[in-house]
Amino acid sequence: MKTLLVDYSWSNTTAQLATVMQQVTGAERLDLTVAKGTFPNDMYATSDVAQQQLASGDLPALTTPLPDLNQYTCILVGGPVWSGHVATPVRQFLRQLQNYTGTVAPFYTSAGTPGDYEADFASLMPQVSVATGLGLTASDLPNAQSQVTAWWEKMAH
């Protein structure tokens, strides 16, 4: 199974989880980025910007060049939970997967309130096979390896 791990991290928490994911899965990794200044450094101000983006449908442009995604049988997509939803940069990436034929699985970090993250994630790509995801909080990260390994073993079978 050729796997790509794609992640967006606003505060570095998701990036830390993505590092563990990469160690466990051996996947190629692609960090999603947006233009500097897209989001403020304050979490609450960032939430306000994201809410405006969701309301307008004007999602932030990604500055990361994307490979041919169809060369992968599985894409692991990571991001932070923003107000119970998929972060806007991750939503922008998911738009690139409309014709993808492999399996996509979300992984995400939250402050402890993931809301309907996985349902929101799956709703953005109704024609794509979305596997059960893995959500952790920052306090889960020291023990993430065992949780990621157990999740990946289920995914890979």
Side-chain angles (χ1 to χ4, degrees):
M1 181 162 67
K2 188 170 182 186
T3 304
L4 177 65
L5 185 152
V6 177
D7 68 287
Y8 172 77
S9 189
W10 179 80
S11 67
N12 200 40
T13 304
T14 304
Q16 291 175 55
L17 177 55
T19 297
V20 175
M21 285 264 179
Q22 186 178 28
Q23 291 166 349
V24 169
T25 65
E28 292 177 39
R29 182 169 173 185
L30 183 68
D31 294 321
L32 294 178
T33 54
V34 295
K36 290 208 181 311
T38 300
F39 297 108
N41 290 330
D42 177 80
M43 166 173 91
Y44 300 105
T46 294
S47 178
D48 292 345
V49 170
Q51 293 297 333
Q52 292 167 351
Q53 291 170 342
L54 288 173
S56 69
D58 187 18
L59 301 180
L62 300 175
T63 55
T64 309
L66 300 179
D68 172 13
L69 299 172
N70 284 312
Q71 68 180 301
Y72 300 95
T73 50
C74 179
I75 300 178
L76 308 176
V77 181
V81 176
W82 284 357
S83 302
H85 297 285
V86 176
T88 55
V90 176
R91 293 176 103 80
Q92 181 68 281
F93 173 73
L94 296 179
R95 287 181 173 177
Q96 315 305 311
L97 295 177
Q98 296 310 312
N99 298 314
Y100 180 69
T101 56
T103 300
V104 176
F107 67 94
Y108 50 96
T109 56
S110 72
T113 50
D116 294 323
Y117 186 92
E118 289 195 46
D120 185 38
F121 187 97
S123 75
L124 298 170
M125 302 175 301
Q127 74 296 349
V128 175
S129 173
V130 177
T132 301
L134 176 67
L136 299 178
T137 64
S139 61
D140 294 328
L141 290 177
N143 304 310
Q145 182 111 19
S146 60
Q147 291 173 278
V148 170
T149 300
W151 174 77
W152 181 243
E153 286 172 358
K154 284 186 205 155
M155 275 278 303
H157 292 105

